[in-house]
Amino acid sequence: MPSAFSPVSDSGRPAAPSLWRDSDFRRLWVGQSASQLGEHTSLVVLPLIAVVTLNADAGQLGVLRAVGQAPILLLALFAGAWVDRWRTRTVMVLTDAGRALALGGAAVAGLLGGLGLPALFVVAFAVGALSVFFDVAYQTSLVRLVGRDQLMRGNSALEGSRSAAQIGGPALGGATVSLLSAPIGVASSAAFFMLSFLSIRRIHRREPIPERLQRPPRVWRRIHEGLRFVVGDTSLRTVGAASAAFQFSFAAMMTVYLLFLPRELHLSGTAVGLALAATGPGALLGSLLAARLPSRFGYGAVLVSAAALGDGVMLCVPALHGPSTVTIPVLLAVNFVFGAFGQLVNVTVMAVRQAVTPHGMQGRVAATITFVGMGLTPVGSLLGGCLADAWGLRTSLLVTAAGMMLSPVLMALSPLARLGRVLPAPRDAPPAVTGQEIHGVDVRDTGAAGPSHP
């Protein structure tokens, strides 16, 4: 996976030693990479089973996607409050094991002939719920393992592995369902989660987490602290609003997109997987660019321009007609551009968010942004199914793709667009948090965390 670890930090001082020399970071990276590959495989396998094997209609596919996304709305805030008080290694290991068991059970059910839509709904919800905890934990883990001056390079590596998963996951998922069988497709996802489990459990470094008091604050109070911190910071508030606008429209678009490719363009399951996988090489390029462009042109300029280009290219898809020899190359190009600029936005936003957040708030802020940004995705998925039934696939795809353009507009109209070439300084956490210590290190001193980290 390409990465751009420059020898000098953003401040012009010599950078810390390469992250690749840190065995614990390598274990985190391998585990997160395998986990992302398992997740992206399952995100294609389960809908393809519903559409190709079980002949699900647009409404049923929308419900399936909504069920898998519902845990974001239901559990994200609780995940943040919980992760801030536990070692991220423990959280990641448990969630990997749980997802492997859920998908392994689905594979067995498929072999026995019992893998129907109700079983898919249960598996989708279970995998989605555990993924919420894993995603909050791996983002928090990076901050606990590396120093502040290594965040951009660490995020580039981790987000680059997610990009690699976008290459292999959809292609593997589509191929296994089309060429082998649905149970094999599900089992392949379970195997990746087991690989992640084996790698992450070998992380040895003890994490600096907040000391647990005898009478810890109630979970609702800790959730409120995270919400108040995000609302009180202009950059984080804008990130949440822009993410919500994008993810809502993207969820609706993807429901239509997954129907548009096989039914309107008459692509096979393997071709669908290939088209979706094209976002992966683009995202690898985006990860490489993210380690260089913000420090050269400014974080704000990169965020706005990349979001506008990446989202805008999807407006080309509804105009596609003709044989697969024409449509597939165009889809590959569109998804490559979408992946490149989308990944550039993802890595840059994550670095900004981590930089302005104190250590003791990392889990809750990550969860709050996830909740605000992704909470409406189940509604978006349902809306996509309803629009496809009511307006047809082409019109629905055009409307939902246009909706994604609200995200760069919100960023362009906010102070986030004026961020310079250096990451912003961290804000003070609320009083209830700043009084805590992380094994003797005050959480307000976010620049002091050396190697002790989604």
Side-chain angles (χ1 to χ4, degrees):
M1 183 214 92
S3 60
F5 294 115
S6 60
V8 180
S9 68
D10 289 342
S11 62
R13 296 173 298 181
S18 171
L19 289 174
W20 299 114
R21 298 179 183 176
D22 185 331
S23 59
D24 282 333
F25 176 79
R26 291 199 305 270
R27 290 164 184 146
L28 170 65
W29 177 75
V30 170
Q32 184 258 3
S33 300
S35 177
Q36 291 295 319
L37 191 54
E39 184 174 348
H40 282 283
T41 301
S42 67
L43 288 176
V44 172
V45 167
L46 297 183
L48 277 180
I49 292 173
V51 173
V52 178
T53 304
L54 302 178
N55 297 315
D57 57 28
Q60 291 171 324
L61 180 61
V63 171
L64 176 63
R65 285 175 49 79
V67 167
Q69 295 160 345
I72 299 171
L73 180 63
L74 299 176
L75 300 174
L77 294 178
F78 293 97
W82 195 54
V83 168
D84 272 343
R85 294 185 54 78
W86 286 85
R87 301 193 185 281
T88 55
R89 173 185 175 275
T90 302
V91 177
M92 290 186 287
V93 165
L94 291 177
T95 53
D96 276 334
R99 289 181 291 182
L101 288 174
L103 290 167
V108 172
L111 291 172
L112 298 177
L115 188 61
L117 276 176
L120 283 182
F121 291 155
V122 173
V123 172
F125 183 85
V127 172
L130 293 169
S131 293
V132 168
F133 283 86
F134 182 92
D135 289 346
V136 173
Y138 94 74
Q139 294 176 40
T140 304
S141 179
L142 179 64
V143 182
R144 295 178 184 176
L145 283 180
V146 308
R148 184 174 182 270
D149 60 345
Q150 294 177 313
L151 284 178
M152 200 66 188
R153 296 190 294 274
N155 280 316
S156 178
L158 292 178
E159 288 301 297
S161 68
R162 187 168 67 89
S163 305
Q166 289 175 331
I167 301 173
L172 177 62
T176 51
V177 173
S178 298
L179 303 178
L180 299 176
S181 67
I184 296 298
V186 177
S188 66
S189 297
F192 288 120
F193 287 127
M194 280 306 301
L195 175 60
S196 178
F197 169 88
L198 294 173
S199 180
I200 291 175
R201 71 187 296 269
R202 296 180 61 237
I203 295 176
H204 299 304
R205 189 173 305 158
R206 294 184 61 84
E207 301 174 29
I209 59 174
E211 298 287 356
R212 295 179 187 164
L213 306 177
Q214 290 184 349
R215 295 177 62 84
R218 293 181 181 275
V219 64
W220 287 111
R221 181 181 174 186
R222 295 176 61 78
I223 289 173
H224 179 261
E225 289 170 356
L227 288 168
R228 185 176 61 181
F229 186 84
V230 171
V231 171
D233 184 273
T234 303
S235 296
L236 295 178
R237 190 167 63 242
T238 302
V239 167
S243 177
F246 171 81
Q247 295 294 348
F248 176 80
S249 300
F250 181 69
M253 189 206 71
M254 279 303 296
T255 298
V256 184
Y257 197 36
L258 289 172
L259 292 166
F260 180 81
L261 297 184
R263 295 184 179 176
E264 193 74 20
L265 299 184
H266 307 292
L267 300 181
S268 66
T270 302
V272 171
L274 177 64
L276 295 177
T279 59
L284 286 173
L285 175 62
S287 295
L288 177 64
L289 295 176
R292 298 181 181 274
L293 295 188
S295 61
R296 178 174 298 181
F297 299 106
Y299 285 82
V302 169
L303 280 174
V304 174
S305 59
L309 291 170
D311 296 349
V313 74
M314 296 305 294
L315 292 170
C316 301
V317 178
L320 289 179
H321 291 83
S324 59
T325 54
V326 174
T327 58
I328 290 179
V330 176
L331 285 171
L332 291 174
V334 167
N335 285 329
F336 180 87
V337 174
F338 178 72
F341 289 109
Q343 184 74 332
L344 179 55
V345 173
N346 289 340
V347 176
T348 306
V349 161
M350 191 174 296
V352 171
R353 191 249 305 159
Q354 291 171 339
V356 301
T357 304
H359 279 285
M361 294 289 291
Q362 287 286 342
R364 279 167 288 174
V365 169
T368 299
I369 295 295
T370 299
F371 173 79
V372 173
M374 302 285 290
L376 290 178
T377 52
V379 181
S381 293
L382 291 173
L383 176 63
C386 293
L387 291 178
D389 283 334
W391 294 353
L393 295 177
R394 289 190 184 275
T395 301
S396 301
L397 193 58
L398 177 62
V399 170
T400 53
M404 294 193 299
M405 293 301 296
L406 181 59
S407 176
V409 171
L410 289 173
M411 288 192 286
L413 297 176
S414 76
L416 193 65
R418 297 190 291 274
L419 288 177
R421 292 180 292 177
V422 179
L423 283 170
R427 278 188 56 214
D428 286 337
V433 178
T434 56
Q436 295 176 342
E437 293 187 350
I438 304 177
H439 292 300
V441 178
D442 194 290
V443 297
R444 289 171 291 190
D445 186 13
T446 58
S452 9
H453 230 309

